[in-house]
Amino acid sequence: MSETTSKFNRRDFLKGSAGVAVAGLGTSLFSTSAAAKQPTFSPGNSSNKNFWKKVQQQFSLAKGNVYMNIGTTGSMPTSVQQAYAENTELVATYPWDMQNKFGSWPYMSQMAADIAPGFGADENEIVLSRNTTDGMVSILSGLDFQKDDIIITTHHEHIGGRSPLFSAADRVGAKVVFVEIPVYTGKKKLKKQDFVNVFADAIKEHNANGNVRLVMFSHITYVTGTLLPAKEICALARDHGIPTLVDAAHTIGMMNVDLHDMDCDFYAGSGHKWQCGPGATGILYVRQEAERLIRFWPADRRPFYFVNSSLGEDGYQTMNFVTRMQYIGNDNYPAKQALADTCKLWDEIGRDKIEERILDLSALCKEELSKQLPNGTFFCPPERELSSGLTSFNPFSDDLSNSSRLTEFRDLLREEYGYTIRTTNFSIHLDDTEATYALRISTHLFHDEDDVTGLVKAMAHLYKRMA
Ligand SMILES: Cc1ncc(COP(=O)(O)O)c(C=O)c1O
């Protein structure tokens, strides 16, 4: 995942129109006047305390509470908030031409061009969407599924992906096949290949007539925080002529994603979670005009319906795929600009460094939990190649199905100890009759080692009180 070589030219991304001054990280890094300058700070590394202190100072999170639920939503950096407020005022003052602040119609082309390299994508492959759900709905409702088509997915998908999947399949009589991905419970060591194998087996079983039309999976599962080997799964699907849709809710802004290298067909993520953009922002990647649909699907299939677009079909055939998806009528341009601004800030800090920092803090969290609460159960694998910034853990191994006790634990942790985390529930095996519950901890670039050790100390103290 960590690709240390720079995927973009810094000068390119500095060309953005936001005009955001990033205090403490050098001069006005995103202002037009600063566009030609190189950043004045050198990217840090995970152990460079001063560097990460400066990064922490970019956020306005309430003191007295350590917010560790980025998996639900993130927090905008202050510089981005300020530019967002200014741009909102500008749109209210000049609604007609917005003083050309966002360029020409559809007003988001420059934003896409600015942020695409940070994700290893081309500008004509990026849609600034509303969130992960929006991206998943757009793709799943647009694909031309027909009766007896098969869609392979996993038993740990979020409702934001499952809901449009079911409605798309139900309308036409397609079949959804759930594969059981391995779930770590502390007993058996997992490898990337274990995950690839379950998809390989499912394709072998269901694609005899060549009618598996899509493989859909989360790059990071929201329930356990397991990082799936997306590149390998996409390669497998590709080898069988099957397109891929990846739920990227948790990777955008957390991991150093290189979409061309991954080579999926669609990648739908959130802008408001780990990327710390405003609410109702997301990023949707569509690989090269979705041209593999034409190659992979039967010739009589229509490649795609633009169900979530104000342009769509007739008269606009000359426009490219993402422009047609991007234009859904009037948009919140200041919000989209704020998303682009946070992306540029991340690029500047270094997405490889951010990933490394997050994984280091997550590893520390796991290490501390296993020391302080040795009888608890982890559901996130310890291996770095399967790890993310989400740590899932239940301190009460005696009853992993006890939801009320864990909910009380989560609430007391917030109310009495000042740490905000969340709970998740899931089935370990496809045929489980009872749900398993876990706490889910998010570690991000605005945390430090003290936040992590403080949280675990608080958890150990609370556990003794409740046990
Ligand atoms: C895996 C996954 N997919 C989709 C979503 C929905 O995200 P959004 O709010 O960006 O639509 C979530 C939200 O938590 C998620 O965890």
Side-chain angles (χ1 to χ4, degrees), residues 96-323:
W96 172 242
D97 67 356
M98 299 181 287
Q99 291 207 311
N100 297 321
K101 179 82 177 188
F102 309 105
S104 55
W105 184 91
Y107 311 117
M108 284 166 279
S109 310
Q110 186 60 50
M111 299 176 203
D114 286 345
I115 69 176
F119 299 107
D122 295 337
E123 60 187 84
N124 60 4
E125 295 176 315
I126 295 288
V127 180
L128 283 84
S129 63
R130 284 175 291 190
N131 48 37
T132 304
T133 308
D134 180 45
M136 298 296 281
V137 169
S138 296
I139 301 303
L140 288 167
S141 312
L143 292 174
D144 186 14
F145 295 122
Q146 294 182 11
K147 191 167 175 333
D148 298 330
D149 281 352
I150 294 172
I151 302 151
I152 294 177
T153 190
T154 87
H155 77 316
H156 276 191
E157 298 309 312
H158 189 269
I159 188 68
R162 273 189 296 136
S163 175
L165 181 62
F166 285 135
S167 58
D170 279 358
R171 271 189 281 123
V172 299
K175 188 176 157 207
V176 181
V177 170
F178 292 95
V179 297
E180 178 181 312
I181 49 170
V183 179
Y184 182 74
T185 54
K187 292 174 197 134
K188 188 172 168 279
K189 187 175 154 59
L190 296 176
K191 301 184 299 298
K192 277 181 172 187
Q193 194 57 39
D194 298 329
F195 293 86
V196 180
N197 288 347
V198 293
F199 287 94
D201 290 348
I203 290 173
K204 196 168 168 197
E205 185 180 342
H206 297 283
N207 202 34
N209 299 325
N211 53 354
V212 175
R213 296 276 167 258
L214 186 73
V215 166
M216 174 193 131
F217 62 94
S218 293
H219 198 171
I220 293 173
T221 68
Y222 78 105
V223 279
T224 67
T226 305
L227 177 76
L228 267 61
K231 184 176 171 177
E232 290 80 354
I233 297 168
C234 291
L236 172 80
R238 211 167 49 240
D239 288 349
H240 289 85
I242 305 167
T244 42
L245 166 62
V246 184
D247 178 329
H250 297 286
T251 41
I252 300 281
M254 182 211 280
M255 307 300 278
N256 187 27
V257 174
D258 185 333
L259 290 166
H260 283 167
D261 183 55
M262 184 187 305
D263 208 5
C264 58
D265 291 280
F266 307 101
Y267 198 74
S270 311
H272 65 94
K273 292 184 192 285
W274 299 83
Q275 189 54 66
C276 292
T281 58
I283 288 174
L284 171 63
Y285 166 82
V286 177
R287 182 191 170 278
Q288 289 180 18
E289 302 283 305
E291 56 88 28
R292 271 200 295 239
L293 289 180
I294 302 159
R295 282 201 279 139
F296 287 177
W297 286 34
D300 62 339
R301 291 294 166 93
R302 195 195 151 93
F304 197 81
Y305 290 86
F306 290 89
V307 290
N308 196 11
S309 165
S310 293
L311 293 175
E313 318 300 334
D314 299 341
Y316 297 102
Q317 295 294 359
T318 51
M319 283 180 193
N320 70 19
F321 203 99
V322 299
T323 305

Side-chain angles (χ1 to χ4, degrees), residues 316-391:
Y316 297 102
Q317 295 294 359
T318 51
M319 283 180 193
N320 70 19
F321 203 99
V322 299
T323 305
R324 285 192 270 170
M325 295 203 79
Q326 184 65 82
Y327 191 63
I328 52 164
N330 187 269
D331 212 318
N332 186 344
Y333 307 108
K336 296 290 164 69
Q337 183 64 66
L339 171 63
D341 291 344
T342 65
C343 288
K344 288 186 284 182
L345 179 55
W346 260 231
D347 289 342
E348 196 164 310
I349 293 167
R351 288 186 183 272
D352 50 349
K353 297 287 180 290
I354 292 171
E355 175 184 316
E356 189 188 357
R357 175 71 173 161
I358 290 172
L359 293 184
D360 282 354
L361 290 173
S362 157
L364 176 67
C365 186
K366 289 173 193 147
E367 193 184 314
E368 287 296 307
L369 283 169
S370 51
K371 272 195 232 150
Q372 308 255 359
L373 289 158
N375 298 322
T377 303
F378 284 99
F379 300 100
C380 48
E383 288 75 25
R384 191 138 173 140
E385 65 175 18
L386 300 172
S387 286
S388 75
L390 292 171
T391 298

Side-chain angles (χ1 to χ4, degrees), residues 84 302 311 439-440:
Y84 184 22
R302 195 195 151 93
L311 293 175
L439 299 166
R440 192 186 74 180

